[in-house]
Amino acid sequence: MGYFGASEDPKFDTDLFPPTGLTEEEVMAGLDEFEARDSEKIVGHSIVYGVQLMSHMDAARIAKLANMKFVRNNMLYKELQPGTLRMSVEVKRMIKEMLGHPDGVRVRLTSGGSESLYCAINAAYQWFRQEKPRSREPEIVVPYSIHGSVSKWCHYTGIKLKRVPLGGDYRADVAAMERAITKNTFFIAGSAPCWPYGLYDDIEGLAAVAECHGIWMHVDACLGGFLAPFIEKAGHSLPAWDFRTPGVRSISADLHKYGYACKPLSSLTFRSEEWDQYHEFTASDWPDGPYSTEAICGSTSAGPVASAWAVMKFLGEEGYIKLARRCLDVKQRYVEGINSIDGVRCWETDLTPLVFQVPEGMDIFAVIGGMFERRVYCLPGFQPPLIKIVVDPVTDEVVDRFVGALGEVVPLVRKGDVTIESVRPYL
Ligand SMILES: Cc1ncc(COP(=O)(O)O)c(C=O)c1O
């Protein structure tokens, strides 16, 4: 159950599964209806909602075509499909080049940021089990702001999770994280940047702590991984986030975010084969012989991999730099527009997302609902109450519509003309 109330179980007045098959036209008409409902709602951001209204629609179109072309190929059996195999190897090679990783790194493709994080924690756990087989209660230490999927994985596996309160600047409190480390701690991580606030943790500080205690250090660059190198190439500096920092053993970076590939696709890179080997697992204790997979999932479609290959080739370095610059322009335009609204204040985030506070005491859901009513979309943050937008390379039209709607809604909420009750149907 998420924070928006829409039900996944609407009432049906007829059975849905047809006794005999429909025609292709009927099937496509049904899908067109779903699509129309979605796009009616979307005036938003490519990362959260798909790839609509990006300022580079050609890249989005090519990604979709490539996805369709390979959607039926199974990555599990890529060794039987020399073309798919070659394509995936080329994607991994391009990831290394794009992210500027040093020689010797090992790239794994996964189904998304969550799976990349699961695999990173798992590799660290396997390493720790070998190092300290007698440890009874293995645990990980992370900043409070690290992505929720880390909690999910620890829930699934029984690994003890210590989320450490942040510093006053909403970044990882390195000293507090060090104090939380015990002899059972095998993994610490920082985000670059984190999803709740768009801020980079002190990766150098955390990696130094990890080296000092001899534990695994992971950087969650799921969000910023494919944006940061091009922001830097465009001449802007960013906090340290990659293997240039000693002690970092693994990095997660999502292709389906600022790589502009179709979902689901992410990457997990290990600094060297030494750490990658702990990811590797082959099951042989069953009737069908050795079974091993790229990440946690078994069969996965080659479509997203093809989409990554296509977009990387189509945009090239120049194209990614252009989109990175566009993201910065979009952010600046948002900040100026949003800050000009009485009582609303953007935080200074490092990259993306952009978050802002509404006037003290104002219900963020009344504002978000008022925005939804105008078909303009944004997301909530809770501690403290914030509204969040992803800094995508969208068109000016998207930014202007967002700022225009916010400028309309905030005074209406202040006057009581828009309330949480009045917008409930939109949430
Ligand atoms: C920093 C960060 N890490 C991990 C994730 C999880 O990624 P996914 O939704 O692809 O599983 C996200 C998603 O937004 C994220 O922002």
Side-chain angles (χ1 to χ4, degrees), residues 108-120 147 149 218 220-223 251-257 262-268 295-297 300 304:
R108 300 284 182 157
L109 298 176
T110 75
S111 69
S114 302
E115 195 182 12
S116 291
L117 284 165
Y118 303 160
C119 290
H147 194 264
S149 53
H218 177 77
D220 179 14
C222 282
L223 192 51
I251 299 177
S252 46
D254 289 359
L255 289 143
H256 65 203
K257 295 190 169 87
C262 294
K263 293 175 182 62
L265 193 65
S266 172
S267 67
L268 172 64
I296 293 174
C297 295
T300 58

Side-chain angles (χ1 to χ4, degrees), residues 15-148:
D15 289 338
L16 287 180
F17 184 51
T20 58
L22 307 184
T23 63
E24 181 178 336
E25 288 73 27
E26 286 167 332
V27 170
M28 293 319 289
L31 292 176
D32 286 347
E33 233 175 82
F34 291 133
E35 191 183 32
R37 281 185 184 220
D38 282 352
S39 28
E40 189 186 69
K41 283 183 108 188
I42 295 164
V43 179
H45 298 271
S46 59
I47 282 177
V48 180
Y49 298 113
V51 280
Q52 318 219 0
L53 290 179
M54 243 174 85
S55 56
H56 209 315
M57 279 312 288
D58 286 344
R61 187 175 51 79
I62 283 165
K64 197 168 168 182
L65 286 173
N67 190 14
M68 270 158 48
K69 203 173 173 70
F70 278 82
V71 75
R72 296 192 46 147
N73 289 29
N74 190 348
M75 288 295 287
L76 184 60
Y77 296 118
K78 58 184 182 303
E79 285 77 12
L80 299 177
Q81 306 158 97
T84 299
L85 176 62
R86 173 80 200 184
M87 180 175 72
S88 67
V89 171
E90 289 194 11
V91 165
K92 288 183 182 182
R93 177 77 225 179
M94 284 193 277
I95 291 170
K96 290 182 197 176
E97 291 173 17
M98 290 168 80
L99 303 191
H101 286 328
D103 283 346
V105 302
R106 298 292 290 260
V107 180
R108 300 284 182 157
L109 298 176
T110 75
S111 69
S114 302
E115 195 182 12
S116 291
L117 284 165
Y118 303 160
C119 290
I121 299 169
N122 178 60
Y125 178 60
Q126 300 305 331
W127 162 74
F128 186 70
R129 287 214 313 184
Q130 188 175 303
E131 290 285 300
K132 291 197 180 171
R134 275 207 280 270
S135 173
R136 286 275 167 84
E137 203 178 27
E139 65 187 24
I140 69 172
V141 171
V142 295
Y144 185 56
S145 53
I146 207 156
H147 194 264

Side-chain angles (χ1 to χ4, degrees), residues 345-410:
R345 186 179 63 82
C346 288
W347 282 24
E348 278 184 27
T349 69
D350 289 322
L351 195 57
T352 180
L354 177 63
V355 297
F356 58 90
Q357 281 176 305
V358 295
E360 181 132 19
M362 191 177 276
D363 187 330
I364 53 165
F365 278 98
V367 178
I368 290 172
M371 300 290 279
F372 282 19
E373 192 179 0
R374 286 156 183 78
R375 302 212 178 118
V376 176
Y377 290 82
C378 45
L379 294 166
F382 293 86
Q383 294 170 5
L386 292 167
I387 297 180
K388 177 186 327 229
I389 39 180
V390 176
V391 181
D392 275 335
V394 291
T395 55
D396 285 351
E397 180 202 341
V398 174
V399 182
D400 294 346
R401 214 171 140 184
F402 185 91
V403 172
L406 190 66
E408 212 177 290
V409 169
V410 168

Side-chain angles (χ1 to χ4, degrees), residues 119-141 157-160 162 180-188 210 213-217 249 270 274-279:
C119 290
I121 299 169
N122 178 60
Y125 178 60
Q126 300 305 331
W127 162 74
F128 186 70
R129 287 214 313 184
Q130 188 175 303
E131 290 285 300
K132 291 197 180 171
R134 275 207 280 270
S135 173
R136 286 275 167 84
E137 203 178 27
E139 65 187 24
I140 69 172
V141 171
T157 56
I159 291 169
K160 185 172 169 191
K162 285 182 173 169
I181 291 171
T182 70
K183 62 180 183 348
N184 295 320
T185 307
F186 63 92
F187 174 100
I188 65 170
H213 292 266
I215 57 178
W216 192 290
M217 168 71 194
R249 291 190 192 172
F270 295 96
E274 182 186 0
W275 308 123
D276 176 83
Q277 64 172 310
Y278 295 101
H279 170 82

Side-chain angles (χ1 to χ4, degrees), residues 269-284:
T269 307
F270 295 96
R271 181 185 280 275
S272 66
E273 204 176 341
E274 182 186 0
W275 308 123
D276 176 83
Q277 64 172 310
Y278 295 101
H279 170 82
E280 197 70 57
F281 174 72
T282 302
S284 314

